[in-house]
Amino acid sequence: MMNSVEVLSHFERHEVRSWRQRTLLELDAAFGQGREEWIAAFLMHFESWCSRLLEKQQKGEKGKIGYISYHLLRTRLQENEAVYLVEGMDDTWWLDKQPYQGYYAADWAFSSWMKCKQELLFAAHSYSGRIRDPQLEKIARKECEHFHRYVIELIRLAMPRAAKLDAYQRLQREEVFEVRVGEYMDHSVVVYKEDRRQRESEHVREWIRERHENDYAYEAYEHFDLAGEHAAGLDFRYSTFHKCNLKQIDMRWSMMVGTRWEECFLQQADLSESLVHGACFGGSNMRGVNLQKIMGGRSREASTHWVMPSLDAVSFVHTDLREADLSYADIPQADFSFADLRGGILHGANLEGAILCNANLSDAELQGTNLRYADLRGTDLTNANLEGADLTGAIVECAVRPSGE
């Protein structure tokens, strides 16, 4: 017969784990379908909150803002209220004695969790009363962390749009400004950052050459000339690069999850074998870039095992990728809408479910490329080599076919 510790361990392995996988897979699917609606609701909240904060600034009741923080309130969650405390703070952060406060409701993320205790209580019945209520409460508190991660991801996705709102633009902000999401008086992560300090490119080069672990993620790189720099193997996750000259930069084997590249010059850069889940390169010049064996995206088949909130596929919308090398890239569902891939090398790449609408793939090498279920409507395939390519289920209506087909 199992003792109390073994009973609890068995319950967590079999009942809690099963509930977690089922519930979070359902939330993940709902997140993929409903996030635009949830983002729109967040933007309404954010605009209203910024407007009220702006009024405070205009009245001289609040100075420049260095941080906007979203804090999960666990005490309210225990009362079945999925509420985040929103605080606008100066550059002293937690030491700000008069933060401007508001609230953000995240019922969309926690509605399933709110039924957690009842469902686990029902499952505990088979253990003949050996799982106590305090133990269930503790398990439920721990499980809420997974749902909290979806709020982090939603706010991260929403902030580039939120930053364009008039009320936000009119706020007085510090040169270094961050939006963070976390738990109250506990760990938080950066989901958006601005850095308007006048930093010289050479100083940034020296900083990168120092190769400090974890120093380069969640950063804002603005108007820097880093052409030819060696930055291989560094962690740049969730950073933004805006109007940077990165020609011939070496960024092989790098962590680029969630990065945004806005009007950057990446001609002949080497980004090969990097992780690019959720990265957005739209509108950048990537002519001749080396993207061999990059990885990012999810297979078309639904996952049966939840690990983390689903990240977007990599985006190359309106990107200049002429003569780029994407051979053996593993980027299912990537978005190449209106991209210029003339003369590109894509042989052996996994582009299953990719969006290639109105892309130009003339003279591209697509031998052995996985294009299953890809959307090729309006794609120019003139003189493209499709020998051995898998086009099962692909949408090819109105595509300009290769010569001779």
Side-chain angles (χ1 to χ4, degrees), residues 14-55:
H14 294 276
E15 302 296 341
V16 177
R17 185 178 297 175
S18 175
W19 172 86
R20 180 192 306 133
Q21 286 296 316
R22 182 182 71 257
T23 305
L24 290 175
L25 283 173
E26 290 173 357
L27 175 57
D28 202 64
F31 188 77
Q33 296 174 0
R35 71 178 190 184
E36 285 302 318
E37 179 183 343
W38 296 336
I39 286 174
F42 174 83
L43 294 176
M44 290 179 63
H45 140 78
F46 192 75
E47 184 171 36
S48 176
W49 185 84
C50 287
S51 295
R52 295 194 300 272
L53 174 56
L54 181 60
E55 291 176 6

Side-chain angles (χ1 to χ4, degrees), residues 246 248-249 266-272 281 285-292 316 319-327 341 345:
L246 304 168
Q248 297 180 336
I249 193 170
L266 284 152
Q267 192 174 48
Q268 298 172 344
D270 191 347
L271 278 60
S272 59
F281 295 92
N285 184 333
M286 302 182 75
R287 186 169 184 175
V289 69
N290 184 355
L291 296 170
Q292 294 181 44
F316 295 102
T319 301
D320 185 349
L321 285 161
R322 284 175 290 173
E323 294 141 26
D325 189 347
L326 290 101
S327 53
L341 285 150
I345 304 170

Side-chain angles (χ1 to χ4, degrees), residues 69-352:
S69 293
Y70 283 79
H71 315 289
L72 173 62
L73 299 177
R74 281 182 177 262
T75 52
R76 298 281 289 273
L77 198 56
Q78 293 297 320
E79 299 168 356
N80 287 334
E81 288 186 88
V83 175
Y84 281 71
L85 173 67
V86 192
E87 293 191 301
M89 298 172 279
D90 60 26
D91 59 357
T92 64
W93 199 8
W94 288 109
L95 298 179
D96 188 343
K97 295 180 179 179
Q98 293 183 310
Y100 178 71
Q101 297 182 331
Y103 295 94
Y104 166 61
D107 305 79
W108 61 268
F110 288 94
S111 58
S112 297
W113 177 88
M114 289 178 183
K115 299 183 291 185
C116 173
K117 186 180 174 184
Q118 289 82 357
E119 294 185 16
L120 294 181
L121 181 63
F122 179 79
H125 287 165
S126 62
Y127 288 77
S128 304
R130 300 183 69 186
I131 307 294
R132 306 298 184 186
D133 280 359
Q135 293 171 317
L136 292 173
E137 291 279 3
K138 185 177 180 180
I139 291 170
R141 286 197 300 270
K142 183 178 179 181
E143 291 301 313
C144 81
E145 297 171 5
H146 305 303
F147 300 83
H148 168 62
R149 291 170 69 177
Y150 281 91
V151 178
I152 294 174
E153 188 62 22
L154 185 95
I155 297 177
R156 191 195 310 280
L157 289 169
M159 277 311 303
R161 290 185 240 178
K164 296 177 182 178
L165 295 172
D166 181 65
Y168 171 83
Q169 286 291 324
R170 293 169 62 194
L171 286 179
Q172 298 173 44
R173 306 187 300 280
E174 297 286 355
E175 282 186 317
V176 179
F177 166 83
E178 293 180 350
V179 177
R180 305 182 70 98
V181 185
E183 299 199 37
Y184 188 61
M185 299 297 287
D186 204 338
H187 176 71
S188 63
V189 296
V190 179
V191 295
Y192 180 80
K193 183 171 183 176
E194 295 174 356
D195 190 340
R196 297 187 300 277
R197 293 174 297 176
Q198 296 299 312
R199 293 185 291 172
E200 296 294 330
S201 295
E202 192 56 39
H203 293 160
V204 178
R205 287 179 180 270
E206 292 173 2
W207 174 53
I208 287 175
R209 290 167 189 169
E210 291 170 359
R211 301 184 68 83
H212 295 297
E213 189 175 359
N214 302 324
D215 272 13
Y216 311 104
Y218 304 98
E219 282 293 333
Y221 299 88
E222 300 267 351
H223 298 93
F224 294 130
D225 184 353
L226 302 176
E229 191 55 60
H230 295 280
L234 296 180
D235 186 348
F236 293 101
R237 75 183 73 190
Y238 296 112
S239 290
T240 299
F241 295 81
H242 181 64
K243 293 186 177 180
C244 291
N245 179 12
L246 304 168
K247 181 179 180 180
Q248 297 180 336
I249 193 170
D250 182 359
M251 299 180 83
R252 292 170 293 167
W253 318 309
S254 296
M255 172 66 79
M256 298 179 181
V257 171
T259 48
R260 298 184 65 84
W261 310 73
E262 301 167 349
E263 300 179 58
C264 288
F265 192 74
L266 284 152
Q267 192 174 48
Q268 298 172 344
D270 191 347
L271 278 60
S272 59
E273 299 187 56
S274 293
L275 295 179
V276 295
H277 298 274
C280 180
F281 295 92
S284 291
N285 184 333
M286 302 182 75
R287 186 169 184 175
V289 69
N290 184 355
L291 296 170
Q292 294 181 44
K293 299 182 181 179
I294 58 171
M295 293 181 63
R298 303 182 73 191
S299 63
R300 185 171 178 268
E301 289 77 17
S303 173
T304 58
H305 181 72
W306 185 89
V307 178
M308 62 184 294
S310 298
L311 290 167
D312 284 350
V314 62
S315 174
F316 295 102
V317 177
H318 285 289
T319 301
D320 185 349
L321 285 161
R322 284 175 290 173
E323 294 141 26
D325 189 347
L326 290 101
S327 53
Y328 303 102
D330 187 9
I331 47 175
Q333 300 183 18
D335 192 347
F336 291 94
S337 300
F338 298 96
D340 190 345
L341 285 150
R342 282 176 289 172
I345 304 170
L346 297 96
H347 57 73
N350 178 13
L351 302 181
E352 182 174 356

